Amino acid sequence: MDQQGRPREAAYGHGPAAAAPAPPSPRVPEQVRGEHTHSEPPAPRPVQRHSVRGQILDALRAALVSGELVPGEVYSGPGLGARFGVSATPVREAMQQLALEGAVEVVPNRGFRVTVRSATELAELAEVRSLIEVPVMLRLARTVPAARWCELRPLAEATTVAAATGDRAAYAESDRAFHRAVLSLAGNHQLVAVADDLHRRSQWPLLTGDRLGRRADLLADAAEHLALLDALAAQDLTVVQSLVGEHFAGADR
């Protein structure tokens, strides 16, 4: 009670008693705010997915280059699926892509026949590649500094390592990687894509036969990569043009 007889609580508010002060807001736990603690598992990393179809396509391309898939032979989807340990569906999908590229042709109710190619076709591919790439490389020889060509030497040396194994499929991959790197300096993505497709087609072998000397052929082809880099760095346009022409002419080895 105060001196006037009123309850003390009423002196501080309009009701019979003033409301009690609000308690302090509780501290939000760190994990509620989205921060991880030792007891909370971190957010999962993005999953890198590579489709079965893509893996089968790569495997079939390697089998084509190596001659494991023989020109003129017919292969069924289920048969190839059993070989790779997958169902026939991704094999058929991959084969459809190879059919678009001209590597195989569809045989109704049987499967796919590996295309039989002639020396004339290889010569035509070499001519088209030369028409596209030689002018680009001559332009690059005039404009790209020598130090930039030195940076590509590891890719050229990788082709030599692959050639030494005698593995034609491994060499084909390293060979295309080198040429893509050279052409990419032109800054034209469409050029690189078209040239790479022509390059891939030129790597499909003719009818299988005597493969003696294949390793020597691959080593000779790989040596031309290093010689080409030297000529590009030296801006020796005559040698560049000669080497590229010889390199494409030997693409059917």
Side-chain angles (χ1 to χ4, degrees):
M1 301 288 291
D2 60 10
Q3 294 180 351
Q4 299 179 1
R6 294 176 301 180
R8 290 185 181 276
E9 293 83 358
Y12 298 96
H14 298 289
S25 301
R27 185 172 183 272
V28 179
E30 296 294 330
Q31 60 268 30
V32 174
R33 295 205 303 265
E35 301 178 10
H36 296 299
T37 65
H38 291 293
S39 61
E40 180 185 14
R45 296 179 179 178
V47 178
Q48 300 296 326
R49 299 187 183 278
H50 186 59
S51 69
V52 174
R53 174 187 175 277
Q55 295 180 50
I56 296 301
L57 181 58
D58 290 342
L60 289 173
R61 282 174 170 163
L64 282 167
V65 172
S66 67
E68 182 182 348
L69 294 182
V70 181
E73 292 292 322
V74 177
Y75 297 90
S76 70
L80 289 173
R83 178 185 299 189
F84 294 117
V86 298
S87 69
T89 299
V91 173
R92 291 193 182 101
E93 292 174 347
M95 280 295 201
Q96 291 290 348
Q97 176 60 38
L98 291 175
L100 292 175
E101 297 175 4
V104 301
E105 56 187 18
V106 178
V107 181
N109 302 319
R110 293 185 61 194
F112 302 86
R113 178 183 290 111
V114 179
T115 302
V116 177
R117 302 180 327 126
S118 66
T120 299
E121 182 180 352
L122 287 178
E124 291 173 349
L125 285 167
E127 181 181 8
V128 176
R129 289 185 66 198
S130 181
L131 289 171
I132 293 176
E133 296 189 39
V134 169
V136 174
M137 289 193 185
L138 291 176
R139 175 163 57 86
L140 292 175
R142 298 187 188 97
T143 57
V144 175
R148 189 68 182 89
W149 296 119
C150 291
E151 294 174 5
L152 300 186
R153 289 192 73 85
L155 288 175
E157 291 165 353
T159 67
T160 301
V161 173
T165 68
D167 185 337
R168 189 169 187 132
Y171 178 75
E173 289 293 330
S174 61
D175 184 27
R176 290 204 317 280
F178 171 77
H179 282 268
R180 284 195 303 267
V182 171
L183 294 176
S184 67
L185 296 179
N188 188 325
H189 299 295
Q190 298 302 318
L191 166 71
V192 174
V194 170
D196 191 55
D197 179 63
L198 291 169
H199 194 170
R200 187 191 302 279
R201 291 170 185 257
S202 72
Q203 291 174 330
W204 301 331
L206 299 173
L207 283 170
T208 55
D210 183 10
R211 291 185 175 275
L212 294 177
R214 183 184 67 178
R215 180 174 174 274
D217 289 338
L218 295 181
L219 285 169
D221 197 69
E224 292 172 356
H225 293 150
L226 290 168
L228 176 61
L229 284 181
D230 290 339
L232 288 166
Q235 295 186 329
D236 192 332
L237 305 186
T238 300
V239 174
V240 168
Q241 185 165 1
S242 175
L243 280 173
V244 175
E246 293 174 4
H247 192 66
F248 290 165
D252 61 344
R253 287 194 276 251

